[in-house]
Amino acid sequence: MKKIFLFALITLTATAQQRNSAQLGEDLQKLRVLGSVLHVAAHPDDESTHMLTWFAQQQHWETNYFACTRGDGGQNLIGDEQGVPLGLIRTQELLAARRIDGANQYFSRAFDFGFSKSTEEALGFWDKQLILSDLVWVIRKTRPDIIFTRFPPDARAGHGHHSASAALAIEAYKAAADPKLFPEQLKKGVEVWQAKRLLWNTFRFPGSSGNSTISDTQFKVEIGDYLPFLGQSTGELAAFSRSQHKSQGFGFAVDRGRSTEYFATLAGDAPKDNLWDGVDATWNRVNPSIDALITPIIQQYNPAKPYESISALIGLKKAIKALPSNSWTQKKIDEIDAWVVQAAGIYLGATTTQGIIATGEKLNIKTEFIVRAPISVENVAVSFAGQDTTFVGKIQPYKKYPLQRSILASAFITQPYWIQETKSTGHFNVADQQKIGQAKVDAAYTAKATFSIQGEEFNIERPVQELIIDPVKGEILQPITISPKTVFSLSSNVVLLPRGSKTTKSIQIAITALAALKPGKIEVKTGATSLSTIDLKEGMKAGEKREWPISFTEANLKEGKSSSTVQLHITSGAEQWVDSLELQTIEYAHIPTQRYFTPVNLSLLHIDFAKKGNRLGYIKGAGDKVPEGLKQMGYEVDFLTEKDLTAANLKQYDVVMTGVRAYNTNEYWGNVFTEIMKYMEDGGNYVVQYNTASYLGPMKSNMSPYPLLVTRNRITKEEAKPNFLLPAHALLNRPNKITEADFADWIQERSIYTVETNDPHFEFPLGFSDPNESENKGNIAVTKYGKGQFIYTGLVFFREIPAGVPGAYRLLANLLAKPD
């Protein structure tokens, strides 16, 4: 997958970040606050980072954000990932944002299916009761005093997912307090809970002056104060947090002054003086005597020697442990434990030089335990994978205590927990109730350390990570992955062999041995059908990658589309097993490396298909997988850069096509506009895939020879019936006759960012409509220009072509055909 290098504000490692002395001093203030808030919205990047930062960093409340989805259905400004892998990227971007603003992150099991125009559609697709139960679980688990939404439960939210998140919050506010609703949760360690109030944090989105829901009659909060212990204001932190949503192009300007936030009450008592009116967020809600113990600790704190406060903190911990146990006493004990570890400068690291380890192979792990303060630490035990060691007696401050062990990798294949089971259409399937809401991917292995300070036991746990020493970047820590013995991929997951072509088409299968294979054979199969048999006369070394061809002819293909998963039936020496997974890797500089496994799917298209032209120039945009499909269609594809975009050079191409969002992401369009127009004048065919026109990604130049407005309109129903407005138009007839059947089995939407114009040069051959809406004809806009033509299309070919949708291939071939 595509790599890019972006400036990262924070470390990419999954180890705990060391707090400085000023921050530790401020953390002591947090021990006095027993207030919890939950923010609810639909997607990554929906959250009010200003309010999250204000609550977490200035008010010291436990602050949580619940996103209904992981953003799987959005567009991607930095690469070609879609669906589940995009959700993985956006999950990590959210976690990076939370590390900056100080909030915690939660998710439901809902799958983001792209833009939705109604609350009912979103809730119906997700399975409302399932996602409601997820939110109720998180409310019962976090026990918030205040819940606030980002959106209203109606059309003002601007997106069906947005309004659905608010509708769910309204129901969950009451349901969490009702023991008759989702009673099975009460057997899993949570209790019913009633928040004090439910609010809506109204908004005025930047760049959209008409999209405001604020009112002077609403409750107002002034935020944005400067925080000396961080050297930044909450507004600055909020901007840095929001700017972590890089895949969505949400780089944000820093706000260094004060600003006003507005709130409308959705349920419960309306606030009058403070958002937390009626909520006692002090130790009075548990035992008022505890606050009296914290005050002298704060007063006597020495930033130059934070470890001098450890003894008093341990005394405070013992006092809290003596109280009747409840959620707040346990939370504060956990905060004290984390504070002591930080103040003592205790470090536990667990690393390996291996990033990917096959099941059953040796994994070498090195741990290191260090106490970087002049305090007494005793009875240290470090363990991982069932292996323990104990350092008897006192630990010498500043001395490194290393431990090296080799184990055989026996953990399950490393896979994000929400995709371990096959996904349902609208949601992920997660059987373990305790995982519901969890944001992070579980580490393959963890190292644990227990130790005592002044007779009190402490525990810390850290993931085993791959240690990379980069000559430029220095030390890099990344997650490790347990894998099958072999992984493999196909050079194309779609094979298009037109009916009557009488040709043979081949693709390559690339197999990587992650463990050594003895001499034997590999049979490549789809179900009971054997595609190829590979003779491993000499076996394969661990880490070796080899490729073999797989050929297809008309004789061994069924008519239409057939899809199946591919498996490797491996005989290695005396052993036999089946592997069926492809290892996917996501690498961007602003998030940790993400690895996950997918079945290897193959779609065979044996259909009526024709094309015109052979050479195609492709101008990359934000990233998509259309070019792979173009090659299957029989085009010779060249990728064009700015220097290639001259009329003299472009005349060699039968068609020039832009990738998605090309006019949003490339800066040079003003320099080449005249040359592209000349290419069309001379007979060229220029096809532009969708672009956006908003403050988030403004278009860099005009793209059309005549006025054309890109809108935010779209057709969200992928089953929307086509209306052939110009049935005799060449785009619907040559070289393929397009019928309603060509719009069967499309995935996730028909079109996005369609166009409008009153210019008479344009023709609109195709219309669609979503339920209860007027017809949208801006899905394809075409005009003659000189001897050539210009086409803009919002049809989601970037989704349909990789999915192997037959009609999408046939229609795209018509758009690419050079006009007569």
Side-chain angles (χ1 to χ4, degrees), residues 173-187:
Y173 171 81
K174 296 179 180 179
D178 189 343
K180 296 179 182 178
L181 295 177
F182 310 110
E184 69 282 357
Q185 296 180 0
L186 305 179
K187 301 176 183 178

Side-chain angles (χ1 to χ4, degrees), residues 2 6 34 38 89 152 237 263 351 385 390 451 560 650 719 796 806:
K2 182 180 178 181
L6 299 169
L34 281 67
L38 176 66
I89 292 173
L237 287 171
F263 290 85
T351 61
T390 302
F451 51 91
L650 295 178
E719 67 273 17
V796 288

Side-chain angles (χ1 to χ4, degrees), residues 507-778:
I507 60 173
Q508 296 292 113
I509 183 169
I511 300 175
T512 301
L514 297 174
L517 300 183
K518 296 177 181 179
K521 69 175 184 177
I522 300 176
E523 188 173 12
V524 184
K525 301 180 71 175
T526 58
T529 303
S530 178
L531 298 179
S532 177
T533 300
I534 299 166
D535 190 1
L536 293 179
K537 294 181 180 180
E538 299 178 356
M540 293 180 70
K541 299 177 182 178
E544 183 180 359
K545 179 179 180 180
R546 294 172 61 185
E547 294 188 0
W548 292 269
I550 300 177
S551 298
F552 302 89
T553 64
E554 283 197 89
N556 56 21
L557 293 185
K558 298 178 182 178
E559 287 196 10
K561 175 183 177 180
S562 57
S563 297
S564 57
T565 57
V566 182
Q567 295 181 325
L568 304 182
H569 292 251
I570 301 172
T571 301
S572 176
E575 295 183 276
Q576 293 184 339
W577 71 89
V578 175
D579 281 339
S580 59
L581 297 174
E582 179 175 359
L583 173 61
Q584 309 281 3
T585 301
I586 302 172
E587 291 183 298
Y588 293 100
H590 67 298
I591 60 173
T593 295
Q594 301 292 294
R595 300 187 183 100
Y596 65 103
F597 297 92
T598 60
V600 180
N601 296 314
L602 177 63
S603 292
L604 303 175
L605 307 185
H606 188 37
I607 59 176
D608 289 322
F609 174 86
K611 73 174 183 68
K612 289 177 62 179
N614 295 300
R615 297 203 67 185
L616 184 148
Y618 200 84
I619 304 171
K620 291 183 179 180
D624 62 71
K625 297 180 180 179
V626 171
E628 288 89 335
L630 297 173
K631 293 173 184 177
Q632 277 298 315
M633 293 165 68
Y635 284 99
E636 178 185 342
V637 179
D638 292 338
F639 293 103
L640 307 179
T641 61
E642 179 180 4
K643 66 180 178 60
D644 302 313
L645 300 180
T646 65
N649 183 61
L650 295 178
K651 68 180 181 180
Q652 66 182 302
Y653 296 107
D654 299 302
V655 59
V656 174
M657 187 179 197
T658 72
V660 301
R661 291 191 178 186
Y663 279 86
N664 300 123
T665 56
N666 296 321
E667 301 288 341
Y668 54 70
W669 290 110
N671 302 330
V672 300
F673 179 79
T674 302
E675 296 295 317
I676 293 175
M677 295 301 109
K678 183 66 166 61
Y679 164 71
M680 286 188 284
E681 281 186 279
D682 294 339
N685 187 22
Y686 187 48
V687 179
V688 175
Q689 294 188 77
Y690 91 89
N691 288 270
T692 66
S694 71
Y695 72 97
L696 293 176
M699 292 176 60
K700 312 298 183 182
S701 167
N702 292 330
M703 60 183 175
S704 165
Y706 307 114
L708 194 65
L709 175 66
V710 176
T711 74
R712 297 188 65 81
N713 297 330
R714 61 182 74 202
I715 300 297
T716 62
K717 289 289 188 181
E718 55 266 24
E719 67 273 17
K721 185 177 180 179
N723 182 10
F724 299 106
L725 301 174
L726 302 174
H729 200 283
L731 294 185
L732 300 177
N733 291 276
R734 294 191 292 277
N736 300 290
K737 175 66 176 178
I738 303 301
T739 69
E740 188 172 330
D742 288 299
F743 293 92
D745 300 322
W746 282 46
I747 64 168
Q748 194 177 323
E749 305 169 316
R750 284 289 192 206
S751 63
I752 55 179
Y753 303 105
T754 60
V755 290
E756 294 177 353
T757 185
N758 292 321
D759 192 285
H761 291 93
F762 280 99
E763 297 176 303
F764 298 92
L766 190 62
F768 297 99
S769 60
D770 272 334
N772 303 315
E773 292 188 0
S774 59
E775 187 170 69
N776 185 315
K777 64 178 184 178

Side-chain angles (χ1 to χ4, degrees), residues 218-240:
Q218 295 168 351
F219 186 81
K220 306 177 188 64
V221 179
E222 293 292 321
I223 67 171
D225 286 358
Y226 179 74
L227 306 179
F229 67 95
L230 289 175
Q232 294 173 322
S233 69
T234 59
E236 289 174 281
L237 287 171
F240 296 145

Side-chain angles (χ1 to χ4, degrees), residues 101-122:
D101 59 41
N104 305 310
Q105 183 62 51
Y106 294 91
F107 289 101
S108 84
R109 285 172 280 186
F111 181 72
D112 180 1
F113 59 94
F115 192 88
S116 174
K117 294 182 178 179
S118 72
T119 303
E120 294 72 25
E121 179 190 39

Side-chain angles (χ1 to χ4, degrees), residues 32-161:
R32 303 183 66 188
V33 181
L34 281 67
S36 177
V37 62
L38 176 66
H39 184 28
V40 179
H43 310 106
D45 73 42
D46 282 345
E47 74 272 25
S48 172
T49 52
H50 283 82
M51 287 306 304
L52 293 179
T53 306
W54 182 76
F55 264 117
Q57 301 286 6
Q58 185 169 340
Q59 302 304 321
H60 304 306
W61 279 45
E62 178 193 89
T63 306
N64 306 293
Y65 175 48
F66 179 92
C68 291
T69 77
R70 295 178 184 266
D72 328 77
Q75 277 80 53
N76 185 356
L77 196 63
I78 63 174
D80 60 12
E81 295 86 359
Q82 300 172 28
V84 169
L86 179 57
L88 286 168
I89 292 173
R90 298 184 73 183
T91 293
Q92 291 300 322
E93 290 177 337
L94 261 188
L95 291 174
R98 296 296 81 81
R99 287 192 289 269
I100 293 173
D101 59 41
N104 305 310
Q105 183 62 51
Y106 294 91
F107 289 101
S108 84
R109 285 172 280 186
F111 181 72
D112 180 1
F113 59 94
F115 192 88
S116 174
K117 294 182 178 179
S118 72
T119 303
E120 294 72 25
E121 179 190 39
L123 294 178
F125 187 87
W126 288 342
D127 184 342
K128 175 187 173 182
Q129 285 302 107
L130 181 75
I131 308 309
L132 178 62
S133 75
D134 291 353
L135 180 51
V136 168
W137 169 261
V138 171
I139 291 173
R140 288 171 172 173
K141 189 173 183 178
T142 61
R143 301 168 72 84
D145 299 298
I146 301 168
I147 302 173
F148 71 100
T149 70
R150 192 67 184 116
F151 302 103
D154 52 47
R156 292 173 295 172
H159 188 322
H161 294 179

